[in-house]
Amino acid sequence: MSHAHKPLAEQVIVITGGSSGIGLATARMAARAGARVVLASRNGEALAAIQEEIEAAGGEATHVVADVGRREDVQAIADKAVQRFGGFNTWVNDAGISIYGRLEEVSDEDHDRLFQTNFWGVVYGSLVAAPHLRRRGGAIVNLGSIASDLAIPLQGMYSASKHAIRGFTDALRAELEQDRAPVSVTLIKPAAIDTPFPQHARNYLDREPKLPPPVYHPDEVAHAILHAAVYPQRDIIVGGGGRAMTGLKKLAPGTFDRLGAVMAGQQLRAEPPRDPNGALHRPTQDGHVRGDHPGMVRHTSTYTRAKLNPLTTGAVMAGVGFAAAALMKRRA
């Protein structure tokens, strides 16, 4: 869809995974812009505190305790939005989880649970939201990853789930466009983002995981999500470093594969695991946007901001292409 949707101040926005990280950053940013927000996650205590915080600041919010891997729970989110606010204009499928470990060492049960949350959570959210949005217009915003375009060693099934999300999102968009439905579908593909992502992940490794550089602030993803809620785009990569990596993967896939050992080492801290079980099967501590990444965190991405402003995209894309080529040359 090429047209703009309602301004944020006139929207009701549903956000799954709204109790921490990108989802929480998006909820706070949307509420500050005047949107009414519907938050969903498995952690009712954290959701209640976030709702109270938003309302204390003059915003409007409600919450639903839900496991996005269960379609009936996702339907309950939509029902609450209709009951409380009369409907919704944007649905953000943000809930997700990862597993750190070699594919052969991870249990089938854990692999299945990850896919139930990451992939089926997006499917259920999209298919529950679409009929409502067909009638009134609006946006579906799905959270993929740069792992939708490349594979990350030690996070193999996470990468597979994000590839699956891209395929589903593209098919859903094509079917809605075929019907000329007034619904935009955007795939957001963040690079590494400083959220509690590593701590929430199930960890099979003998060291505490961390994010590989470059790492970006969660607000940069929230900004992209809310931009897509008003000004639809097909997909948005958040982080120029991520765009350079996907460019290298496309230009020289064999070279990129040989970087696997480097990528694996960049995901490990020099300390033992803190909570190997993470939040894969149960909610854990929530209520935090930021993680505790030990290195530099970039607060904005010049590439992403330019991508959201087409007048400057050409120059930035040229710069990204040169960066990818230089990286390929150094690694060859």
Side-chain angles (χ1 to χ4, degrees):
M1 300 296 293
S2 59
H3 64 274
H5 295 310
K6 290 183 177 180
L8 290 176
E10 299 176 18
Q11 287 204 31
V12 175
I13 301 179
V14 174
I15 305 169
T16 70
S19 59
S20 70
I22 291 169
L24 177 53
T26 304
R28 286 173 171 166
M29 190 177 291
R32 288 195 298 269
R36 293 166 288 174
V37 295
V38 181
L39 303 169
S41 82
R42 294 173 296 169
N43 193 326
E45 183 178 352
L47 289 174
I50 296 163
Q51 178 180 337
E52 182 178 356
E53 168 201 320
I54 289 173
E55 291 174 340
E60 293 186 73
T62 189
H63 73 271
V64 184
V65 179
D67 181 340
V68 296
R70 295 166 51 89
R71 182 161 185 154
E72 57 268 35
D73 283 17
V74 177
Q75 184 62 55
I77 301 170
D79 293 343
K80 185 62 173 288
V82 172
Q83 174 195 353
R84 178 69 173 82
F85 297 123
F88 52 88
N89 308 95
T90 295
W91 185 292
V92 181
N93 287 306
D94 170 70
I97 195 75
S98 191
I99 298 172
Y100 286 86
R102 295 178 63 86
L103 287 166
E104 295 174 283
E105 298 172 357
V106 177
S107 71
D108 291 345
E109 179 187 13
D110 285 352
H111 276 157
D112 181 69
R113 177 65 230 191
L114 179 147
F115 242 84
Q116 201 66 36
T117 299
N118 290 12
F119 176 67
W120 287 106
V122 168
V123 171
Y124 294 151
S126 298
L127 297 183
V128 165
H132 181 87
L133 294 175
R134 279 178 180 272
R135 296 190 297 269
R136 64 187 292 164
I140 295 173
V141 182
N142 291 340
L143 266 292
S145 166
I146 60 168
S148 298
D149 299 327
L150 51 84
I152 302 175
L154 301 183
Q155 294 189 71
M157 198 56 70
Y158 173 81
S159 300
S161 72
K162 294 300 183 177
H163 275 65
I165 288 170
R166 184 186 66 186
F168 167 79
T169 300
D170 288 350
L172 175 66
R173 182 189 302 111
E175 291 183 5
L176 289 169
E177 289 188 354
Q178 183 180 15
D179 295 342
R180 303 185 65 83
V183 185
S184 64
V185 180
T186 298
L187 182 65
I188 305 290
K189 297 188 287 188
I193 306 298
D194 182 30
T195 70
F197 176 92
Q199 289 70 49
H200 286 177
R202 172 77 168 94
N203 182 17
Y204 279 76
L205 307 175
D206 60 2
R207 290 161 63 181
E208 178 70 9
K210 69 179 181 71
L211 300 163
V215 177
Y216 297 86
H217 195 286
D219 280 354
E220 195 68 354
V221 190
H223 179 265
I225 290 169
L226 296 179
H227 181 92
V230 180
Y231 304 104
Q233 291 189 214
R234 190 178 191 278
D235 54 26
I236 302 170
I237 293 177
V238 180
R243 179 63 183 88
M245 289 177 66
T246 60
L248 174 60
K249 171 63 165 57
K250 185 174 182 179
L251 288 171
T255 299
F256 184 86
D257 289 344
R258 290 191 289 273
L259 297 177
V262 175
M263 294 178 67
Q266 290 178 332
Q267 298 178 79
L268 301 173
R269 293 182 188 241
E271 64 178 271
R274 302 173 188 173
D275 179 13
N277 291 324
L280 182 64
H281 294 283
R282 57 171 176 79
T284 186
Q285 184 179 10
D286 281 331
H288 302 286
V289 168
R290 299 284 300 274
D292 65 345
H293 180 66
M296 175 184 175
V297 176
R298 302 170 187 263
H299 282 257
T300 60
S301 164
T302 302
Y303 163 78
T304 302
R305 295 299 175 107
K307 186 69 165 59
L308 301 181
N309 179 1
L311 293 178
T312 56
T313 296
V316 173
M317 286 297 293
V320 168
F322 288 133
L327 179 60
M328 182 175 64
K329 184 176 181 180
R330 287 199 301 270
R331 295 296 186 183

